[in-house]
């Protein structure tokens, strides 16, 4: 099936509707970003993507249905202009000429929901005359918005996956945008085009990469999402000082991005093997693990603080038992529900749950402060999260 003749008309209408909705939601406050959203044809950047089916398969896995204009024009175009993240790639590149249904699997690339893309550029305080480095080109849609607003000459975007960048480049050039593009690892920024007024990351990192501080102009700003192996997330807007240090407050709201591939969590093996080596005698837990696992804004924030206390820990739940595993030190802990509370067994050089409990105690004593009350300080010797009423929390080494 070829593209309907009225694709351009349909897409203009849907783009205007999307911009109107984002403005009504308070996301598109700046008229210049609204104009960019109305101008950039998102459908050109997502020729194919996967949407989850309503029902899981027999094994309980998510069924990912491929969506293209050829398969279902209406569904494809509506989703392209809906405010949702579209999964565009799993382990390998998809063949959108002959796409297949997938069962389970971990997405490796996506087109971030438009409201978050716009929020990202707005939160980074990007404006005319700024030179920008975007870490993680992805489909190229957010790059196109920046080009529309700033002009292509001031936009550099890097992507670690050559296949993704090739697709993004072809969509960008096809729409008339010509930013500087390169296959590069975001951990090291992009020296040839430095220095930048703004560095904005569309993937998450365990700590702020030191190269970025050098590649940002004094007074320049860095916006990134920090996340670690516990999948705790926080966004921070840093301002770089004359001496190359940086500091900034955490931003509110719950935002999660895929990890930069160099910072992804390592495989840790079988939780049962780790649990088998723990001491037999448990103790009563001072806090329930649900404080960091619940689907609430507070738990989302607490998981990030907990992660700062045990940066090398990972968490998984098997049945009712919560396992914490640290592949770096070999430490482990299990939490098992018992008599209305939780019993903890811990082993290894780092008492994982005890460290998390200390952070939760300090958080409660400080009156449960929100993300905006924390400041991240980045300097030659490391990175620390600070709060006036809580002990400092070091970030992992980048």
């Amino acid at each position: 099936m070829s593209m309907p003749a009225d694709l351009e008309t349909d897409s203009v209408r849907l783009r205007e509707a999307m911009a109107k909705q984002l403005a009504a939601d308070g996301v598109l406050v700046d008229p210049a970003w609204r104009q960019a959203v109305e101008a950039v044809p998102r459908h050109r950047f997502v020729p194919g993507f996967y949407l989850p089916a309503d029902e899981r398969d027999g094994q309980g896995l998510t069924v990912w249905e491929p969506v293209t204009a050829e398969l279902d024009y209406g569904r494809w175009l509506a989703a392209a202009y809906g405010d949702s993240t579209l999964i565009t790639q799993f382990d390998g590149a998809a063949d959108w000429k002959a796409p297949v249904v997938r069962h389970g699997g971990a997405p490796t690339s996506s087109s971030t929901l438009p409201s978050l893309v716009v929020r990202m550029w707005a939160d980074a305080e990007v404006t005319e005359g700024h030179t920008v480095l975007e870490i993680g080109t992805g489909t190229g849609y957010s790059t196109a918005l920046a080009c529309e607003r700033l002009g292509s000459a001031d936009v550099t975007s890097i992507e670690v996956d050559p296949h993704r960048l090739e697709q993004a480049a072809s969509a960008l050039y096809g729409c008339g945008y010509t930013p500087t593009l390169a296959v590069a690892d975001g951990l090291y920024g992009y020296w040839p085009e430095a220095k930048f007024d703004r560095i904005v990351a569309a993937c998450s990192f365990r700590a702020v990469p030191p190269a970025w501080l050098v590649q940002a102009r004094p007074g320049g700003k860095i916006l990134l999402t920090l996340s670690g192996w516990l999948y705790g997330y926080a966004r921070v807007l840093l301002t770089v000082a004359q001496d190359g240090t940086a500091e900034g407050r955490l931003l509110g709201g719950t935002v999660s991005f895929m990890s930069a591939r160099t910072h992804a969590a390592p495989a840790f093996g079988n939780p049962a093997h780790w649990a088998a080596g723990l001491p037999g005698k448990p103790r009563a837990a001072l806090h329930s693990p649900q404080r960091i696992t619940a689907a609430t804004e507070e738990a989302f924030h607490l998981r990030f603080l907990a992660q700062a206390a045990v940066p090398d820990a990972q968490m998984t739940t098997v049945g009712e038992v919560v396992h914490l595993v640290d592949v770096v030190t070999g430490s482990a802990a299990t939490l098992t529900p018992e008599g209305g509370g939780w019993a903890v067994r811990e082993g290894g050089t780092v008492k994982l749950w005890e460290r998390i409990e200390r952070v939760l105690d300090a958080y409660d004593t400080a009156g449960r402060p929100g993300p905006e009350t924390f400041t991240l300080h980045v300097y030659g010797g490391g990175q620390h999260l600070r709060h006036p009423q809580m002990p400092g929390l070091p970030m992992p080494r980048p």
Side-chain angles (χ1 to χ4, degrees), residues 137-193:
T137 316
T139 62
Y141 174 65
S142 62
T143 321
L145 289 174
C147 290
E148 185 67 39
R149 170 80 192 259
L150 305 174
S152 298
D154 286 336
V155 179
T156 298
S157 186
I158 61 173
E159 168 62 53
V160 75
D161 182 330
H163 176 76
R164 293 295 309 119
L165 191 68
E166 195 183 322
Q167 286 189 324
S170 115
L172 284 160
Y173 298 153
C175 293
Y177 302 116
T178 54
T180 300
L181 299 173
V183 175
D185 188 329
L187 198 57
Y188 307 103
Y190 200 58
W191 293 97
E193 295 294 315

Side-chain angles (χ1 to χ4, degrees), residues 41 43 45 68 72 173 223 230 258 291 324 350 357:
H43 68 274
F45 296 88
T68 64
D72 187 335
Y173 298 153
L223 178 75
L230 278 187
M258 288 183 189
R291 289 205 64 186
L324 286 160
V350 179
E357 286 176 330

Side-chain angles (χ1 to χ4, degrees), residues 205-394:
F205 289 82
R206 295 184 75 205
V208 184
W212 298 7
L213 300 187
V214 188
Q215 291 177 28
R217 286 205 177 92
K221 299 196 179 191
I222 295 171
L223 178 75
L224 83 157
T225 301
L226 293 166
S227 83
W229 299 345
L230 278 187
Y231 299 105
Y233 295 88
R235 285 191 318 146
V236 63
L237 180 64
L238 296 165
T239 302
V240 179
Q242 203 76 36
D243 61 2
T245 63
E247 69 172 74
R249 288 195 180 279
L250 299 191
L251 303 179
T254 54
V255 168
S256 57
F257 274 116
M258 288 183 189
S259 291
R261 294 189 196 177
T262 33
H263 278 191
F268 59 79
N270 184 335
H273 296 167
W274 289 84
L278 292 175
K281 194 164 168 52
R283 67 170 176 88
L286 304 178
H287 295 275
S288 152
Q290 284 152 343
R291 289 205 64 186
I292 63 171
T293 59
T296 62
E297 282 216 20
E298 184 180 59
F300 188 91
H301 171 46
L302 276 179
R303 191 184 280 228
F304 178 72
L305 299 181
Q307 177 182 279
V310 288
D312 300 320
Q314 296 181 66
M315 182 167 55
T316 186
T317 303
V318 181
E320 285 188 298
V321 181
V322 177
H323 294 259
L324 286 160
V325 168
D326 176 342
V327 298
V328 178
T329 65
S331 307
T334 60
L335 289 117
T336 311
E338 200 173 89
W342 292 81
V344 192
R345 288 163 65 222
E346 295 180 284
T349 53
V350 179
K351 298 293 179 275
L352 298 174
W353 192 248
E354 190 180 301
R355 278 203 185 175
I356 291 174
E357 286 176 330
R358 284 208 293 269
V359 170
L360 293 174
D361 282 344
Y363 171 79
D364 290 342
T365 305
R368 301 187 166 194
E372 302 91 336
T373 60
F374 288 81
T375 312
L376 182 67
H377 298 256
V378 186
Y379 46 91
Q383 311 187 6
H384 272 78
L385 194 59
R386 298 210 167 105
H387 187 275
Q389 285 132 337
M390 284 179 70
L393 290 165

Side-chain angles (χ1 to χ4, degrees), residues 29-53:
V29 181
D30 183 336
W33 284 121
R34 180 164 181 167
Q35 185 275 323
V37 168
E38 287 175 349
V40 176
R42 189 186 187 209
H43 68 274
R44 299 275 289 272
F45 296 88
V46 285
F49 44 85
Y50 297 94
L51 292 176

